[in-house]
């Protein structure tokens, strides 16, 4: 749902916490990893846009977060650089 008030546009989204392991495939370009698709709930979701990348440390473990758009929804993928596991943390659904 999109509401326009003057020059401002407001979109209503619903955040859903997932915290499930996923498979992620991507490419390296200039030594940076770019995710291309991920598998979740027996579906392969093609990433159309990467909106944000950041990293943080939790103790000695470095995590990398990718916010991506796939099939019109915003997903937050977490990569654990210690054990090389991927987790789908959350999804923002248009609602």
């Amino acid at each position: 749902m999109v509401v326009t008030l003057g020059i401002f546009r407001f979109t209503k989204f619903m955040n859903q916490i997932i915290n499930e392991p996923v498979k992620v495939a991507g490419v390296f370009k200039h030594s940076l990893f770019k995710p291309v698709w991920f598998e979740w709930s027996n579906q392969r979701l093609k990433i159309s846009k990467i909106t944000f990348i950041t990293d943080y440390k939790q103790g000695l473990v470095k995590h990398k977060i990718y916010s991506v758009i796939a099939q019109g929804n915003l997903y937050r993928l977490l990569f654990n650089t210690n054990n090389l596991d991927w987790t789908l943390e959350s999804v923002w659904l248009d609602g």
Side-chain angles (χ1 to χ4, degrees), residues 39-92:
E39 287 183 356
W40 174 52
S41 292
N42 297 321
Q43 280 191 320
R44 182 173 289 180
L45 301 163
K46 184 180 176 190
I47 295 169
S48 58
K49 185 175 184 178
I50 300 170
T51 61
F52 186 71
I53 302 171
T54 190
D55 53 7
Y56 70 93
K57 284 185 97 172
Q58 188 174 24
L60 297 175
V61 179
K62 184 177 174 186
H63 298 272
K64 197 151 192 87
I65 297 172
Y66 295 85
S67 293
V68 300
I69 295 177
Q71 294 184 347
N73 295 316
L74 180 65
Y75 297 87
R76 182 175 161 138
L77 299 168
L78 173 71
F79 180 62
N80 180 322
T81 62
N82 188 45
N83 60 18
L84 307 180
D85 285 339
W86 285 93
T87 303
L88 175 59
E89 284 194 323
S90 62
V91 58
W92 288 82

